[in-house]
Amino acid sequence: MEKRVWLEKRGRDPAKIRELNLDNCRSTSIVGLTDELCNLEILTIVNVGLTSLKGFPKLPNLKKLYLSDNRINSGLNLLETSPKLTRLNLSGNEIKDLETLEPLKNFKNLISLDLFSNQVTIVENYRDAVFKTIPSLKYLDGFDKNDRHVEDSDDEVDWGEIFGEFEESEDWSTTDEEEEGNSSDEAETPEGRINMEKMQQTLKQQNNAEDSPLKCAVCKHHLSISPIVLNTVLGSICGRDACKRLASSQGTNYRQKAYEGLAKVLEFPCMYKENGCKKVLPWNEIGGHELICEFVKL
Ligand SMILES: [Zn+2]
Ligand SMILES: [Zn+2]
């Protein structure tokens, strides 16, 4: 990690660095990060193998911290030297109980917390308890206290990241025939691999196949509400509450960030389409509509 920090600094004055990305380097604890990064606002240390936050520096201006896909199970008090945190992502770690989350009560500005794919999410009363512990919290795992989903408005789509991840992930964006045909040509341009027009067409088709890759394996509605995860037991799961709960109770969940990024540019039909609703709305709007859709069967 030390070397990666050095590389990422690219010779800059540490006090002038506002964002630092250490994703995918290997380390079990924090090394090479120092208090000199006094103006750092965004730090991402995803999928590094961290087992503890030992060595976490004093970052007085840190606002967003992404620690997903590590093996952290305790020591959240070590983050207290970053009191301005508004957003903390700990999804895919090994946090087992509510006591471990206690130190987070001291973060007066924490608005959004992500604990998806941690055992603590299946503890009884998990959501209520966490909202109670952290009074400033508005969104837990992407949903507010009333289970209303809220889309992050400040998360811009990073196309480079999306296409990069996409090539490694399970490829549902092209059919098997296309893959066999001319995969070497397609690999050169991302546009060739991910045919957005076709994806949009598939979404609007009258008769989607039951096994459509764009549908949730549990509720069979479109994957139109985040977080979208790939569950090792169930398959692709949407962020509708019941599905989300089922997915966090079994298997391992892999957040499909790449898909979510793509889905942001697509339009989805309302889940009550069969009941007669004709609404087709963008990803970040269809979830809200479905909650008030007049075609809901009671
Ligand atoms: Zn679902
Ligand atoms: Zn509707």
Side-chain angles (χ1 to χ4, degrees):
M1 181 184 277
E2 219 162 357
K3 184 164 179 225
R4 174 69 177 271
V5 173
W6 180 82
L7 282 169
E8 293 289 338
K9 280 184 183 168
R10 299 192 298 268
R12 289 177 290 175
D13 173 1
K16 288 188 177 151
I17 298 174
R18 294 191 187 274
E19 273 191 63
L20 203 58
N21 182 320
L22 305 174
D23 295 355
N24 307 311
C25 68
R26 305 312 306 168
S27 187
T28 52
S29 64
I30 311 275
V31 272
L33 282 178
T34 65
D35 297 359
E36 292 175 323
L37 293 155
C38 55
N39 286 307
L40 198 65
E41 290 176 10
I42 304 173
L43 176 59
T44 153
I45 317 179
V46 172
N47 186 34
V48 165
L50 290 178
T51 55
S52 96
L53 291 164
K54 229 177 117 214
F56 198 85
K58 188 175 169 188
L59 301 171
N61 286 302
L62 193 67
K63 294 195 177 79
K64 298 182 182 181
L65 178 60
Y66 300 89
L67 292 167
S68 26
D69 302 322
N70 284 293
R71 289 183 284 142
I72 298 162
N73 60 18
S74 61
L76 299 184
N77 56 307
L78 294 166
L79 300 176
E80 279 169 10
T81 48
S82 300
K84 286 190 189 167
L85 265 190
T86 59
R87 192 156 177 199
L88 177 60
N89 191 330
L90 282 162
S91 58
N93 277 282
E94 296 177 3
I95 295 167
K96 293 182 180 66
D97 48 43
L98 293 165
E99 290 83 76
T100 307
L101 301 172
E102 277 289 306
L104 298 180
K105 66 172 186 261
N106 299 323
F107 292 89
K108 304 284 179 247
N109 304 298
L110 192 62
I111 292 171
S112 168
L113 175 65
D114 203 328
L115 290 165
F116 210 67
S117 296
N118 278 273
Q119 269 188 40
V120 67
T121 58
I122 54 170
V123 167
E124 215 186 320
N125 266 333
Y126 155 72
R127 290 187 62 84
D128 289 345
V130 175
F131 276 117
K132 214 170 167 186
T133 306
I134 313 165
S136 58
L137 200 66
K138 282 195 181 146
Y139 312 123
L140 178 59
D141 302 331
F143 287 79
D144 73 6
K145 271 181 207 160
N146 304 312
D147 282 343
R148 265 192 296 260
H149 171 65
V150 185
E151 186 65 24
D152 305 318
S153 53
D154 59 350
D155 268 0
E156 279 177 36
V157 179
D158 180 344
W159 291 105
E161 187 188 309
I162 288 163
F163 289 123
E165 273 183 44
F166 226 80
E167 295 193 10
E168 285 168 17
S169 69
E170 267 199 285
D171 197 358
W172 48 263
S173 61
T174 50
T175 63
D176 290 338
E177 307 95 77
E178 279 172 349
E179 275 276 287
E180 283 162 21
N182 48 1
S183 57
S184 55
D185 290 354
E186 287 183 345
E188 298 204 358
T189 57
E191 292 83 357
R193 286 183 67 83
I194 299 158
N195 188 334
M196 297 304 287
E197 228 171 289
K198 190 173 168 196
M199 209 189 280
Q200 182 67 75
Q201 252 174 28
T202 312
L203 279 170
K204 291 188 182 171
Q205 264 163 17
Q206 205 64 36
N207 292 314
N208 267 338
E210 260 297 287
D211 59 354
S212 163
L214 294 168
K215 287 194 170 180
C216 170
V218 173
C219 70
K220 309 293 180 197
H221 294 300
H222 282 115
L223 295 168
S224 54
I225 294 175
S226 80
I228 304 295
V229 298
L230 179 64
N231 180 280
T232 47
V233 179
L234 303 163
S236 294
I237 307 299
C238 78
R240 291 176 181 88
D241 211 39
C243 303
K244 207 174 63 166
R245 277 167 211 254
L246 191 64
S248 49
S249 69
Q250 57 194 296
T252 307
N253 294 296
Y254 296 97
R255 181 93 179 250
Q256 300 297 291
K257 278 280 184 193
Y259 170 80
E260 290 182 22
L262 288 168
K264 285 181 188 174
V265 303
L266 295 171
E267 293 190 318
F268 293 86
C270 170
M271 67 185 259
Y272 302 110
K273 188 179 169 185
E274 282 106 277
N275 302 359
C277 182
K278 292 195 165 58
K279 274 260 192 300
V280 177
L281 289 167
W283 155 274
N284 54 352
E285 289 166 34
I286 195 68
H289 160 78
E290 286 173 358
L291 293 174
I292 52 158
C293 178
E294 55 186 304
F295 290 90
V296 183
K297 269 192 201 143
L298 295 172

